[in-house]
Amino acid sequence: MTSSRAEMTAAALKVARESMGLSDGWLAAHLGKTSRTVRNWESGHLVPTVAREEIASLLRRTREAVELLVEQVRDDPCAEVVTYPTDPAYRLAHPDSPFPASWHRAVAAQAPHIRITYVR
């Protein structure tokens, strides 16, 4: 998504954030910044190296979660993934996850040929 490790365009940042299902508010809090700062980066301001590195780490973790999910459902033609409509519901099931429910939904959406439902 970026042309080099040293550069992250505004568009690449926004695409990365949205592909992970993360709001600018969540990313800002995770990075110890304000939502306005993230929006400024997404409008073309320089993204600091520390932030670029953490975003790259979040992308790796998301990619690993997708790969794990794909592996888990690979041989099941009727595979179903249960996801969560709200952060509180996600926290009950995954109290140690630093991510919001929207991240989990984005991971589920990237796995091909699965039925996605909400937790009951």
Side-chain angles (χ1 to χ4, degrees), residues 20-22 62 65-66 69 81-85 87 90 93-94 97 99-110 116-117:
M20 292 184 285
L22 302 175
T62 301
V66 171
L69 177 58
V81 172
V82 176
T83 193
Y84 308 86
D87 287 343
Y90 182 63
H94 302 277
S97 176
F99 295 104
S102 59
W103 174 85
H104 189 268
R105 293 189 302 268
V107 167
Q110 293 180 53
I116 303 171
T117 61

Side-chain angles (χ1 to χ4, degrees), residues 4-118:
S4 73
R5 289 184 65 73
E7 180 183 330
M8 176 175 275
T9 66
L13 170 59
K14 188 167 188 171
V15 167
R17 179 181 61 75
E18 289 177 342
S19 74
M20 292 184 285
L22 302 175
S23 68
D24 59 9
W26 186 92
L27 183 59
H30 181 76
L31 297 172
K33 304 294 181 186
T34 65
S35 293
R36 184 181 193 144
T37 297
V38 171
R39 287 191 304 271
N40 284 339
W41 293 341
E42 291 180 352
S43 296
H45 291 83
L46 182 64
V47 181
T49 300
V50 171
R52 287 192 314 264
E53 290 171 351
E54 181 57 23
I55 292 161
S57 174
L58 292 170
L59 283 165
R60 274 192 304 279
R61 292 169 69 186
T62 301
R63 196 168 32 254
E64 289 167 0
V66 171
E67 290 169 0
L68 179 62
L69 177 58
V70 168
E71 182 63 30
Q72 290 171 343
V73 301
R74 179 178 313 262
D75 297 325
D76 185 354
C78 300
E80 179 176 286
V81 172
V82 176
T83 193
Y84 308 86
T86 65
D87 287 343
Y90 182 63
R91 288 278 160 259
L92 284 175
H94 302 277
D96 296 329
S97 176
F99 295 104
S102 59
W103 174 85
H104 189 268
R105 293 189 302 268
V107 167
Q110 293 180 53
H113 312 295
I114 61 169
R115 181 171 185 254
I116 303 171
T117 61
Y118 281 137

